[in-house]
Amino acid sequence: MTGLFTKLGLAAGLALVTATSGLAQDLPKNLRVVIGSTSTGGDTYQAASFVADAISKHFGINAKVDAVGPTEAFKAIARDRRGTTIMIHHDQSYLGHLYGVKGYEDIFATYKIGPTLTINPGNAYLVPKKSPYQSISDVLDAAAEGTRVRVAIQPGGVSEIGFSALKNAAKIKKPGSEKNLVPVNTGSQADKDQLLFDGQADVINGSVQSNEQYTRLPEDDQKAMRFIWLTAAQETLDQVNEAGLGGTSREALLQYATPKSSVTLDGEKDFTFDKDFFIIYNKDIDPALVEAIDAGLKEIYAEGAIEKSMKDAFFVPHFMPSKEATTYLEKKRDDYRKVIEAIRE
Amino acid sequence: MNFTSFPRVSINFETSHLVFPTLISILLGILLLAILATRWRAIWGALTTGPHWPAGIDHLRFFGTIALTVLYFLAMPQIGDLFPNEGYGFLIASIPFLFLMSLLYLHQRTRRYIVITAVNAVIAPTVVWYMLSTVFNLTLP
Amino acid sequence: MDFLSLITPLFLVLILCGTMIGIIFGAIPGMTATMAVAVCLPLTYSLGLENGLALLLGLYVGGISGGLVPAILLNIPGTPASIATTFDGYPMTQRGEGESALKVAIFASLFGGLFSLVVLYLFAPALADFAIQFSYVEKFLIIFLALTVMAALSSSMLIGIFSGVLGILVSLIGAYDVSRGGNGEYRLMFDFMEPYLSSGFSLLPVLIGVFALSSILIEAEAGVPENAGARKIALDQGKKFHLSVFSGQWKNLFRSASIGTFVGLLPGVGGSAASIMSYSQAKAFSKNPRSFGKGNPAGIIASETSNNGLTGGALIPLLSLGIPGDATTAILIGAFTLQGIQVGPLFIGDNLEIWNAMIVAMLFANVCMFAIMYFAIRHIAKIVTVPKYILLPIILMMCVVGSYTINYGIMFDVWTLLIFGLFGYLAYHIGLEIAPFVIGFILGPSAEIYFLKSLESFGTVSIFFTKSWIAVVLWVLIAISIGLSVWMSRSGARHHDET
């Protein structure tokens, strides 16, 4: 019976401790930050840990990032109305829905959108260094002339949206030519790179971070690549450190982005895609909590330390409080919906 | 998958999720038929004669293990939900679970063994909880 | 020799700590090297890159090695890569040679780790260029080769293959993974299962379910007999370990270490394939293949040499292509990027100091791993003398912790443990084979993706034979592996008839 008493006593003691510590009515003492990625080496984890660390310090709480992946992350915040679990994800969360990927709902209807946090400006398209395509307009020209161009992407989201924009631009340039841009559906960055090495793709989706060193290899190396397009907006790239990344300066990166490398959205404006990271809450979360996090983040970003660490890691800080963020992301969603619908066969 | 001009095949990406499961299911079916064909006597014999449930098993310990495990799994998230993200669900549910399981498996339930069991039931989950939840900052139920 | 200034006492202490923590993580069923590295990753921000890497590499080497302990002593693979260690390790423990088996495994691990380190140091860029010759087609054939071991593992070839194919089918449940290039559509399940099974059953809970929970159920069914006297004798009675076990094993050591290193450097193929393949190759080339699976130290040597061979191998694509070779090195990338260091084809040339420091860290981690495990063995091996009424509930609790934490807190993974524990129990009674089932389950998703993507890219089945000379070599190995299984099962049947 001793065991029973010990355990009852322990349970009661624990209950008392938590009950009293829960009295302070701001942020939960233990905040679980779930992310829509299962990787702890990827950009989502990195972005989330910048923010979780800053929130932990600012509010004196323990915020912990759990890489549970999109399905489980959505489930976790759907269950938790108290706001002890929040989610950090990027544009995939609504692009997945636009592309009709299983497991993605309309986040604007099902959840509450929190503040935006940061942008990864690195989304890029590359060709082998020996490729005849010198720029993204060469690719569009080739498609218009009837050449089949194979583009390796991961379907159903962030990796596909640039490809959809390319098809859209090809259609505007010469209706019907978008059929010459064919997707090679694949998975990880390694798989996309491999398709380029094998000659099974002419263009691949990649990123400045993971592919920059390949662009510095000599041309006779089978692995050598060349950037032809960055999807980030000019304003975004302008905020990147001047040194850029690795051996490629900001100046050089800007050559591959709009307006110098242009992929049109509607014949006038250029298409851009900035990969935004933002918080997603349970629909019924206490508005006071949303306010508190907005206010806290505002102070954190004003202090500037987070800005430096983000920029060092090739992220662009981009804080917008919840309300503005919702409008901003809805606008983004509407733009991309148009692109995706325009090329739907 | 379209086999019209073998060995050339074309795969439609939209339905490609069914190709491999179909191939594997067919293979599994063939293997099942092969097993039935070669061993139908033994299988038929086992189905018609022998007892359907292994005889002479320890019903209390076997079903007790399953019942306690199910209860344990059900209780953990429920208790944990009372103290969000603290891992107490694991801690509070594990102590009685460990105690009862050990009690179930004990053959001589003397005072000495029960004390050992109880001490173990308190210490083991507490150490695990402390190490994982506090030191390594892992999420527990 | 500038990098020598990086090697401070702190650097060495961190490697030692990392290795120790890694071994503990690896030794707990369900906790893996990957998890050890993931939980310690945040610590590296404050440590700086070299010291952070020292800790993480220690964790990596320790975590991969620790898996051998429960595999040998409890028949539970501590990590997926140690599954083949159970085949011969546990029979040795049952014979009372647990301690000896552990020592064999530790020597083998050390050899595998050092071998792959030398390869990493001398040939990293060249091997990375070789690795990119492996397209979907060759990767499919590698997986296929690893799958052929199913036939050789079981007492009945037909039942073994059936169990393995069933494992593949179960692994396909859920979405056709978008992140690996699938279309994200669900298959093999009903709509109501969607919230739980959208990404299928996770590997680790399945693995420890069929190995650990099912054996607890089988014990419970037998009434959890305690036999303390017999156990004590068993621990002391077995053959003592002697280095002579390794004489005549040089070929096995080098072959297994090479397979481990090589599979490690192929992104996406995975560590479990390496140890399974080494095991089957060791069996295929052995003079006495029938003794495998009954406590032959050569089986442990094959498995453990190759899974430690992975450590150096998986770092090759990471450091010379910027592509992680396995799940653990995928997390290491985070350590680099957070410190603002780019990994890619120019990494080694641009960061010679870090590169050298990493090599030293790996070397020291392997030595620490060996020292810690070798001297702790006497105590570790005593785990089999803990009475079952204490041991079994604790194992069950640790399996729960492992299942829950492996994907950072998913309750369904805990239920998966129970589902597959019951499945393992039933399989035991109706005569299905667990090891082929698990191998099929582990390799199924890779087999699917590489098979389909090969056909999608090339549009013809004949590509599997005509892609490259590598494909032809792999077919030869596959033929040897299948031929051997058929021969063994034939002569086994004849042997059976005669008696």
Side-chain angles (χ1 to χ4, degrees):
Chain A
M1 286 317 277
T2 23
L4 190 64
F5 285 122
T6 328
K7 119 198 143 209
L8 280 178
L10 198 68
L14 289 175
L16 202 69
V17 171
T18 16
T20 43
S21 60
L23 279 178
Q25 201 38 264
D26 37 20
L27 250 61
K29 188 162 69 76
N30 285 289
L31 182 68
R32 185 172 183 220
V33 181
V34 288
I35 60 171
S37 157
T38 50
S39 150
T40 47
D43 59 348
T44 315
Y45 185 84
Q46 232 179 320
S49 46
F50 283 134
V51 175
D53 288 349
I55 288 181
S56 295
K57 274 196 204 102
H58 187 84
F59 291 98
I61 59 166
N62 176 23
K64 167 161 199 311
V65 183
D66 273 338
V68 296
T71 327
E72 286 296 329
F74 282 128
K75 252 163 66 185
I77 55 167
R79 260 197 316 261
D80 189 347
R81 290 156 181 248
R82 295 165 301 189
T84 52
T85 309
I86 65 172
M87 175 170 174
I88 292 184
H89 204 21
H90 51 79
D91 302 79
Q92 178 68 38
S93 54
Y94 63 85
L95 286 174
H97 180 64
L98 289 183
Y99 280 111
V101 180
K102 285 271 164 66
Y104 285 93
E105 289 175 75
D106 178 6
I107 54 163
F108 298 96
T110 323
Y111 305 98
K112 183 163 175 51
I113 306 298
T116 60
L117 307 164
T118 183
I119 291 172
N120 174 356
N123 190 32
Y125 285 79
L126 300 102
V127 293
K129 217 162 208 172
K130 288 180 184 153
S131 163
Y133 307 123
Q134 296 302 321
S135 68
I136 196 69
S137 30
D138 284 357
V139 172
L140 292 171
D141 290 344
E145 283 156 21
T147 314
R148 199 162 158 269
V149 185
R150 297 160 303 169
V151 187
I153 53 162
Q154 180 183 320
V158 163
S159 172
E160 186 169 356
I161 188 66
F163 174 71
S164 297
L166 271 181
K167 284 193 112 172
N168 181 46
K171 192 180 179 185
I172 292 169
K173 188 181 169 83
K174 185 181 174 197
S177 73
E178 74 274 11
K179 290 206 169 51
N180 295 324
L181 296 171
V182 282
V184 182
N185 294 308
T186 183
S188 65
Q189 193 58 51
D191 288 341
K192 292 175 203 155
D193 296 350
Q194 184 67 45
L195 284 166
L196 203 67
F197 304 149
D198 287 345
Q200 291 297 317
D202 304 303
V203 181
I204 59 164
N205 172 245
S207 70
V208 174
Q209 292 90 330
S210 58
N211 297 96
E212 192 269 339
Q213 291 200 346
Y214 287 91
T215 66
R216 285 192 270 147
L217 293 173
E219 194 172 317
D220 58 357
D221 193 316
Q222 189 190 355
K223 305 187 293 293
M225 305 177 186
R226 183 151 44 75
F227 288 117
I228 49 166
W229 184 33
L230 301 186
T231 61
Q234 196 186 3
E235 311 86 83
T236 312
L237 283 173
D238 279 340
Q239 292 177 62
V240 167
N241 282 337
E242 204 179 339
L245 189 87
T248 310
S249 67
R250 179 173 70 196
E251 197 53 42
L253 289 173
L254 280 165
Q255 301 298 315
Y256 307 113
T258 174
K260 295 213 167 102
S261 296
S262 155
V263 173
T264 190
L265 176 65
D266 48 12
E268 289 164 21
K269 271 192 301 179
D270 274 350
F271 168 90
T272 59
F273 173 72
D274 286 327
K275 190 175 180 186
D276 262 294
F277 294 84
F278 52 94
I279 298 181
I280 305 173
Y281 298 113
N282 182 295
K283 187 88 191 157
D284 304 317
I285 193 173
D286 182 2
L289 200 64
V290 178
E291 291 274 300
I293 292 181
D294 271 352
L297 282 173
K298 197 175 176 188
E299 285 169 36
I300 290 167
Y301 278 82
E303 280 163 20
I306 199 169
E307 185 168 331
K308 190 180 175 305
S309 42
M310 280 178 177
K311 282 195 168 176
D312 286 347
F314 203 68
F315 281 90
V316 173
H318 185 231
F319 171 69
M320 250 186 213
S322 303
K323 277 218 181 76
E324 283 172 55
T326 314
T327 330
Y328 164 78
L329 290 169
E330 277 175 340
K331 162 95 176 47
K332 249 180 126 174
R333 188 259 325 253
D334 293 341
D335 285 351
Y336 298 145
R337 176 154 50 200
K338 277 180 214 144
V339 171
I340 294 169
E341 273 167 10
I343 56 161
R344 194 158 279 164
E345 285 138 24
Chain B
M1 200 146 107
N2 186 354
F3 271 118
T4 41
S5 53
F6 193 81
R8 296 207 68 79
V9 287
S10 65
I11 289 173
N12 180 1
F13 184 65
E14 267 66 51
T15 54
S16 61
H17 61 290
L18 295 174
V19 174
F20 205 65
T22 313
L23 288 176
I24 293 297
S25 303
I26 294 170
L27 184 57
L28 198 66
I30 294 172
L31 288 165
L32 186 66
L33 287 179
I35 290 174
L36 289 178
T38 52
R39 313 191 163 203
W40 64 273
R41 263 176 233 279
I43 295 169
W44 181 250
L47 283 178
T48 46
T49 55
H52 287 261
W53 193 254
I57 72 162
D58 191 326
H59 283 95
L60 177 70
R61 291 203 169 84
F62 180 70
F63 290 107
T65 304
I66 293 178
L68 278 175
T69 308
V70 169
L71 279 177
Y72 178 44
F73 289 2
L74 287 173
M76 229 177 339
Q78 295 294 332
I79 301 171
D81 201 44
L82 301 175
F83 319 100
N85 309 332
E86 304 269 9
Y88 291 156
F90 165 75
L91 182 58
I92 296 171
S94 293
I95 293 171
F97 172 72
L98 236 60
F99 182 70
L100 293 173
M101 280 282 277
S102 297
L103 219 52
L104 184 69
Y105 290 171
L106 259 181
H107 288 273
Q108 303 150 300
R109 299 194 180 91
T110 61
R111 200 186 149 79
R112 181 166 165 261
Y113 282 131
I114 291 177
V115 170
I116 296 177
T117 300
V119 170
N120 174 58
V122 173
I123 291 175
T126 313
V127 170
V128 171
W129 171 82
Y130 178 77
M131 288 303 292
L132 296 181
S133 187
T134 311
V135 179
F136 290 115
N137 206 10
L138 278 170
T139 300
L140 290 175
Chain C
M1 286 284 144
D2 282 344
F3 74 97
L4 284 175
S5 63
L6 296 172
I7 298 164
T8 58
L10 177 67
F11 184 82
L12 298 178
V13 168
L14 283 168
I15 298 172
L16 184 70
C17 292
T19 314
M20 202 155 11
I21 298 171
I23 291 173
I24 295 170
F25 267 77
I28 296 174
M31 310 286 256
T32 59
T34 314
M35 196 191 292
V37 173
V39 296
C40 293
L41 183 66
L43 297 177
T44 60
Y45 307 155
S46 49
L47 285 172
L49 185 64
E50 287 81 11
N51 287 336
L53 283 173
L55 179 72
L56 296 179
L57 291 173
L59 289 165
Y60 185 30
V61 172
I64 292 281
S65 314
L68 64 88
V69 176
I72 289 173
L73 295 179
L74 304 169
N75 201 24
I76 302 168
T79 53
S82 50
I83 174 172
T85 311
T86 62
F87 300 160
D88 284 286
Y90 190 62
M92 283 183 76
T93 302
Q94 284 176 315
R95 278 210 305 259
E97 296 168 19
E99 198 180 315
S100 172
L102 285 172
K103 285 186 179 160
V104 170
I106 293 165
F107 272 102
S109 295
L110 179 70
F111 182 85
L114 294 180
F115 177 90
S116 72
L117 183 62
V118 171
V119 173
L120 169 70
Y121 187 64
L122 297 179
F123 307 114
L127 279 172
D129 280 350
F130 182 53
I132 65 167
Q133 306 306 319
F134 281 69
S135 67
Y136 289 132
V137 174
E138 289 85 357
K139 283 182 184 166
F140 172 72
L141 294 176
I142 293 246
I143 298 287
F144 189 44
L145 175 59
L147 280 171
T148 56
V149 71
M150 294 186 314
L153 274 179
S154 1
S155 40
S156 153
M157 193 161 90
L158 196 54
I159 305 273
I161 297 175
F162 178 82
S163 310
V165 174
L166 184 67
I168 298 179
L169 193 69
V170 173
S171 77
L172 301 178
I173 292 174
Y176 181 28
D177 193 358
V178 181
S179 66
R180 301 189 69 173
N183 60 9
E185 296 289 327
Y186 300 139
R187 63 272 169 93
L188 300 174
M189 63 185 210
F190 300 107
D191 286 346
F192 75 92
M193 300 172 181
E194 229 175 79
Y196 309 104
L197 276 176
S198 53
S199 40
F201 292 107
S202 334
L203 168 60
L204 239 106
V206 170
L207 186 72
I208 51 185
V210 294
F211 276 98
L213 189 57
S214 73
S215 60
I216 291 177
L217 289 174
I218 292 164
E219 283 279 348
E221 175 189 83
V224 197
E226 296 283 354
N227 201 343
R231 246 190 346 255
K232 273 221 175 68
I233 297 164
L235 193 63
D236 297 338
Q237 241 185 9
K239 267 188 270 171
K240 288 278 173 284
F241 172 75
H242 199 270
L243 268 178
S244 61
V245 187
F246 286 93
S247 65
Q249 292 295 333
W250 285 107
K251 267 190 208 153
N252 186 5
L253 280 168
F254 277 101
R255 184 181 49 236
S256 305
S258 312
I259 293 176
T261 310
F262 180 69
V263 172
L265 77 89
L266 294 180
V269 173
S272 348
S275 61
I276 294 164
M277 267 171 60
S278 304
Y279 185 84
S280 72
Q281 295 302 313
K283 190 171 175 177
F285 289 105
S286 163
K287 289 190 196 96
N288 194 4
R290 227 174 285 284
S291 64
F292 278 72
K294 293 173 189 144
N296 186 343
I300 302 179
I301 293 172
S303 172
E304 283 304 315
T305 313
S306 77
N307 71 24
N308 277 69
L310 277 177
T311 51
L315 285 171
I316 293 174
L318 175 75
L319 300 178
S320 47
L321 294 173
I323 292 166
D326 66 0
T328 319
T329 43
I331 299 170
L332 284 180
I333 277 205
F336 287 99
T337 43
L338 281 164
Q339 307 274 355
I341 303 280
Q342 257 183 301
V343 279
L346 302 174
F347 168 82
I348 297 176
D350 287 358
N351 303 282
L352 268 178
E353 279 186 22
I354 299 173
W355 161 249
N356 284 323
M358 285 182 78
I359 296 292
V360 173
M362 288 288 284
L363 178 67
F364 194 64
N366 272 293
V367 174
C368 285
M369 179 277 294
F370 180 78
I372 295 171
M373 302 252 286
Y374 196 83
F375 293 107
I377 266 180
R378 279 230 135 254
H379 310 284
I380 298 175
K382 288 214 177 84
I383 196 168
V384 292
T385 66
V386 175
K388 284 180 191 160
Y389 73 95
I390 296 285
L391 186 64
L392 296 184
I394 291 186
I395 290 180
L396 187 49
M397 177 181 75
M398 290 320 299
C399 289
V400 169
V401 172
S403 303
Y404 188 78
T405 45
I406 186 70
N407 292 319
Y408 307 98
I410 295 175
M411 198 58 207
F412 182 70
D413 286 345
V414 179
W415 289 104
T416 302
L417 175 73
L418 182 62
I419 295 168
F420 281 87
L422 291 169
F423 170 81
Y425 168 81
L426 284 177
Y428 169 79
H429 279 293
I430 61 175
L432 284 179
E433 301 264 355
I434 285 303
F437 174 84
V438 172
I439 292 171
F441 186 86
I442 293 175
L443 301 175
S446 303
E448 170 177 36
I449 211 86
Y450 295 140
F451 178 73
L452 281 185
K453 292 297 166 188
S454 299
L455 294 182
E456 273 177 37
S457 295
F458 296 95
T460 168
V461 175
S462 58
I463 193 67
F464 290 114
F465 303 92
T466 56
K467 174 73 172 46
S468 62
W469 65 269
I470 300 171
V472 176
V473 171
L474 288 168
W475 275 113
V476 171
L477 290 174
I478 290 167
I480 293 176
S481 177
I482 294 178
L484 185 90
S485 314
V486 173
W487 174 76
M488 276 183 55
S489 111
R490 284 269 177 85
S491 62
R494 202 179 310 128
H495 187 72
H496 193 75
D497 288 342
E498 283 163 9
T499 48

